[in-house]
Every structure is written in structure tokens, then in C-alpha cells.
Amino acid sequence: MGSGGHTPSSDEHVSRADGSGHRVPEGQAPEEYGDHRGRGDHDEHDHRSRWPLVAAAGAAGLYGGVAISIFGDVTDLLPSVIGIALAVVGTIVLLAGVAGWIDQAFLPAARGPHGSPTSRESYVSTTLLFLATDVSTFGALFVYYFFVRIGTWPPEELPPLLGSLVIVNTTILVASSVTFHYAHEALEDGDRRRFLGLLGTTLVLGLVFLAGQAYEYYEFVAAEGFTLTSGVFGTAFFGLTGLHGFHVALGVGAIAVLCWRALRGHYGPNRDTSVATVSLYWHFVDLVWLFLVVVLYVGASV
């Protein structure tokens, strides 16, 4: 006391959950805390998430199982029940992977200040890896469609694909990508109110897009009699648009989690790991839709 030394407070002795010696603010996940690149001041850990790979493996099983089932029905070389069983197992693994990913990347802050010592760069890199595998998933169905186009075209009478609905849906999805981009920028600028408004707008636009796609399906099935079993083009059309719709639904769920956490104050200029990863995913879904519209909607009409 007489030496003029400083007596540290109890807070200064609380080790940060990532082992750096700094205290994580209450309610913040360790992977969200630190500098903008997720390193913190003394981050010595760089654990990569396994859940994106688990989800990708499940998706491969799901789509492979569907393909085997269809192949078995057409050729009788394989029992279709094998494909159905593989698709069921793949679906379970896919959902488990997505749930584990969300739990690890997005929800630790909701449970307390201690969580996995992961960095922003690790989550971004694993997200990019997951999207790279997802390209091959969409690519397989696009290859099928291109193979169909080699033969006589059109293979059967096609419904009116190009209309105001697909234009409106495209505009909505592109607008949602724009609002998400500027929501992230607002977060980096420290404008919480603008961030919340734009993020909420993105969620609403995603829901509207899903509703628009569901209405399009209703019109095709009820009014046009155009279904998944309507020849090879019907299989390609509903396979591609359904796969994309599934990805949009997953993205909407992730954005809903972001909104919930944002309202609880879990994000800031230097705490944007979850926002960055979901943003990458959402922009990917947007780009796939634009390519799908050009190739499937416009291309089928040419």
C-alpha cells in the first residue's frame, strides 16, 4: 500500500474464455470478441468447425439417395428402397450438421460468456469450404438439366415459366442481399439502429421470397398440372428450384437467429463472426438464384 502499487480489481483477474487473459463482456461469445479479424489480443487457438463438413456429407447422402431411388425405379438395376434409406440417413446427418453448426457458431453467447475459443477467420474459412461443396451439389442438377437440353427441345409442353412472379421474386431476393450487405456495413460503423432495421428487412424479404416460390408451385401444380413427375424437365425444374428453396429456408432460419441475437446486443463492430458467415451464405444463395433464372427460366423458353 505504501509502495504506490496498483491493486488489481477482481475483473482484471478473470481470464478470457479464449485464454488471452482478457475478460469477455457478459453475454458475448468468445469467438465474437477481439479485433475485427477475430484474433483478439493474444489468441493462440484456431479451431475449425467440423459441422459444415458434417452437413455437406449429409447433403451428399440425401441427394445421392434420391438419385439412386430414381435410377432404381427407371432401370430396376437397384432396389429403390436403398436410395430411400440413404436419403433418410443423409437428411438426418444434414439436419444434425446444420443444428451443430448453428449451436457452435451462433448460440454460445445466449448461454453465457464462455464458449469455444474459435476465431472469425476459422468460421469464414469453413463457411467458404461448405459453399464450395455446395457448388457441386447444385452443379450435379445443372448437369442433368444440360443433358436434357441436348435432346429434342422441348421434351414436352412447357408451362409459361417467364412471368411477373419470377421477376418479382428475383427482385426481392436481390434486394435482400443488398440490405444484408448494408446491415453488415452499419454494424461495422457502430450504427446499431440501422443494423437492426436492415437485418430485419432482410429477414422479411427472405420470408416473402419463400412465400412467392410456394405460390408459384401452387400455380404450376393446380393450374398447369406441371409437377415433379411431368417428364425430365419437370424433374429438373422442381429439383433445382426445390433445392434452392431449401437453401433459402436454411438461410432465413440463420438470419432469424442473427436478429434474435442482435436484439440482445451480441454484436458490435469487432464482434461480427456470425454476421459475416451468414452473409457469405446468403450472397451465395442469391447468386445461385440468378444463375438458375437465366439457365432454367429464360433458357427453357429459348
Side-chain angles (χ1 to χ4, degrees):
M1 184 172 67
S3 62
H6 171 66
T7 302
S9 66
S10 60
D11 283 350
E12 291 174 325
H13 289 294
V14 179
S15 294
R16 179 174 157 190
D18 65 2
S20 67
H22 288 276
R23 182 178 182 274
V24 176
E26 183 177 356
Q28 300 298 340
E31 78 273 12
E32 302 288 356
Y33 193 72
D35 71 13
H36 184 72
R37 292 165 300 284
R39 295 189 182 95
D41 294 330
H42 304 285
D43 188 10
E44 299 174 354
H45 303 279
D46 188 24
H47 298 283
R48 295 182 183 275
S49 175
R50 68 181 181 274
W51 292 114
L53 295 178
V54 173
L62 168 60
Y63 305 136
V66 172
I68 291 173
S69 178
I70 296 174
F71 181 75
D73 286 337
V74 173
T75 65
D76 292 328
L77 294 177
L78 290 173
S80 60
V81 67
I82 295 178
I84 295 173
L86 179 59
V88 170
V89 173
T91 301
I92 294 172
V93 174
L94 171 61
L95 294 178
V98 172
W101 193 3
I102 291 176
D103 178 72
Q104 185 182 60
F106 304 144
L107 298 182
R111 294 191 294 265
H114 300 290
S116 302
T118 49
S119 71
R120 182 184 194 271
E121 290 181 350
S122 295
Y123 279 112
V124 169
S125 63
T126 50
T127 300
L128 291 173
L129 180 60
F130 172 78
L131 295 180
T133 62
D134 222 21
V135 169
S136 63
T137 302
F138 278 101
L141 285 177
F142 277 115
V143 167
Y144 169 74
Y145 170 70
F146 293 144
F147 179 78
V148 170
R149 286 301 304 263
I150 294 176
T152 303
W153 190 261
E156 60 271 325
E157 185 176 352
L158 301 181
L161 297 175
L162 285 177
S164 58
L165 184 57
V166 68
I167 296 175
V168 170
N169 279 351
T170 301
T171 303
I172 289 172
L173 197 59
V174 171
S176 72
S177 196
V178 173
T179 56
F180 205 155
H181 171 76
Y182 284 106
H184 196 182
E185 281 199 353
L187 177 65
E188 292 177 330
D189 293 338
D191 191 340
R192 183 173 183 273
R193 181 176 180 180
R194 187 164 177 258
F195 167 63
L196 288 172
L198 289 171
L199 189 64
T201 301
T202 304
L203 177 62
V204 171
L205 290 174
L207 290 170
V208 172
F209 175 85
L210 287 176
Q213 190 167 25
Y215 179 74
E216 180 185 57
Y217 278 6
Y218 171 78
E219 286 289 308
F220 282 149
V221 173
E224 303 292 339
F226 179 59
T227 67
L228 181 65
T229 59
S230 299
V232 291
F233 179 74
T235 303
F237 178 85
F238 284 100
L240 279 166
T241 57
L243 177 62
H244 180 268
F246 176 69
H247 280 73
V248 173
L250 291 178
V252 166
I255 294 172
V257 173
L258 292 184
C259 288
W260 175 67
R261 287 192 60 187
L263 290 172
R264 293 168 63 90
H266 291 173
Y267 300 120
N270 297 324
R271 303 187 305 275
D272 67 339
T273 301
S274 303
V275 179
T277 54
V278 176
S279 176
L280 283 173
Y281 177 87
W282 194 253
H283 295 324
F284 168 79
V285 169
D286 193 358
L287 288 173
V288 170
W289 175 254
L290 292 176
F291 184 73
L292 193 152
V293 168
V294 172
V295 171
L296 194 63
Y297 285 83
V298 177
S301 304
V302 176

